[in-house]
Amino acid sequence: MSKETDSFVQIVKANDHIVFFGGAGVSTESGIPDFRSVDGLYNQQYDYPPETILSHSFYRRNPQEFYRFYHNKMLFPDAAPNAAHRMLARLEEMGKLDAVITQNIDGLHQAAGSQKVYELHGSVLRNYCENCHAFYDLSYIMNTEGVPHCDKCGGPIKPDVVLYEEGLDQDTINGAVRAIHQANVLIIGGTSLAVYPAAGLIDYFQGDHLIVINMSPTPRDSYADLCIQEPIGQVFAALENAL
């Protein structure tokens, strides 16, 4: 165990009211690619840039191409929670962790057992008819070619994910802000903190310990009490062994 990881373990052991704020790096060890890493989606080649395809205007203009990309690059139905997901759920069960705030849309925190999860960018597990608002699960989308349509009214089905050009859900933001503001320890993990407004929520933290766990530097490193540049699953596995 590194000196930094040991410090992390000691802080978690000594504190309650912990909140975790995570991004794509949390799920890379589950086989879901990071968007901005060297091998991530943003460094692969497509007919259109991923930012364009995953925008509201592109979805409206070219839903067929949107869903082709969405099927190929955004859905990972076989992904399973890793050590970080599992340990966060355990910390909540122990009464130490108040909430998980995630930029991810994969649902792995809930699959691991976390109950209080604020999904800033929605979830691929939820899909709704744009006309009658009927709900459809991930398997329905996976088993549909092209643009999925509602069995009840024939309307187009849209994933409950926040696309570029769309605003975040206000209730989700309010809950996340409240959790961060009340936290004694804020752990930032697996995120470059490059996506706003999500990254701006960190400004509401007024607690005692700010911890950043990320493989590359972030804009908040200079504000943190502790920075760990190690795989996040490895860090949480060390915590699991120490509790």
Side-chain angles (χ1 to χ4, degrees):
M1 186 186 302
S2 69
K3 179 180 66 175
E4 291 80 10
T5 298
D6 182 64
S7 297
F8 168 71
V9 169
Q10 299 311 315
I11 291 172
V12 172
K13 277 184 167 183
N15 287 274
D16 296 327
H17 298 296
I18 300 169
V19 168
F20 180 81
F21 182 98
V26 179
S27 293
T28 54
E29 291 170 63
S30 295
I32 299 178
D34 185 352
F35 269 37
R36 289 178 173 79
S37 67
V38 173
D39 298 317
L41 285 177
Y42 280 71
N43 288 284
Q44 299 177 27
Q45 298 299 314
Y46 299 99
D47 293 339
Y48 302 89
E51 297 97 328
T52 298
I53 299 174
L54 296 175
S55 68
H56 178 83
S57 56
F58 188 92
Y59 168 76
R60 291 295 180 209
R61 185 172 66 251
N62 196 341
Q64 194 82 22
E65 183 67 9
F66 169 88
Y67 266 107
R68 187 173 73 87
F69 178 89
Y70 186 74
H71 272 269
N72 291 340
K73 298 300 179 183
M74 303 300 293
L75 302 180
F76 298 88
D78 297 326
N82 61 52
H85 298 107
R86 294 192 298 270
M87 192 61 224
L88 287 165
R90 183 179 167 193
L91 289 173
E92 182 182 19
E93 187 177 333
M94 294 169 63
K96 296 183 73 66
L97 183 127
D98 292 343
V100 168
I101 301 164
T102 181
Q103 299 173 86
N104 296 341
I105 58 175
D106 51 46
L108 291 182
H109 285 293
Q110 292 93 329
S114 290
Q115 301 296 312
K116 180 66 75 174
V117 181
Y118 294 103
E119 296 175 309
L120 296 176
H121 297 149
S123 173
V124 299
L125 304 183
R126 300 186 300 267
N127 306 273
Y128 296 94
C129 172
E130 294 196 75
N131 291 347
C132 72
H133 309 295
F135 170 82
Y136 291 91
D137 61 13
L138 177 59
S139 63
Y140 187 90
I141 304 300
M142 294 292 299
N143 292 319
T144 302
E145 292 188 11
V147 180
H149 287 86
C150 179
D151 289 338
K152 299 178 181 179
C153 74
I157 297 172
K158 182 180 182 295
D160 187 19
V161 299
V162 179
L163 303 176
Y164 289 100
E165 305 167 352
E166 294 181 339
L168 305 188
D169 177 76
Q170 194 60 49
D171 288 341
T172 303
I173 294 176
N174 292 343
V177 166
R178 186 165 54 249
I180 291 172
H181 182 71
Q182 295 173 350
N184 188 42
V185 177
L186 178 62
I187 304 169
I188 300 171
T191 173
S192 62
L193 294 175
V195 176
Y196 282 81
L201 300 182
I202 306 303
D203 293 335
Y204 290 94
F205 179 63
Q206 297 182 336
D208 295 332
H209 300 285
L210 178 63
I211 301 170
V212 177
I213 309 171
N214 199 54
M215 292 298 290
S216 58
T218 80
R220 299 298 174 130
D221 288 3
S222 60
Y223 300 94
D225 302 288
L226 180 62
C227 292
I228 306 175
Q229 291 190 358
E230 300 174 29
I232 192 167
Q234 175 180 306
V235 174
F236 274 93
L239 174 62
E240 184 174 23
N241 293 332
L243 289 178

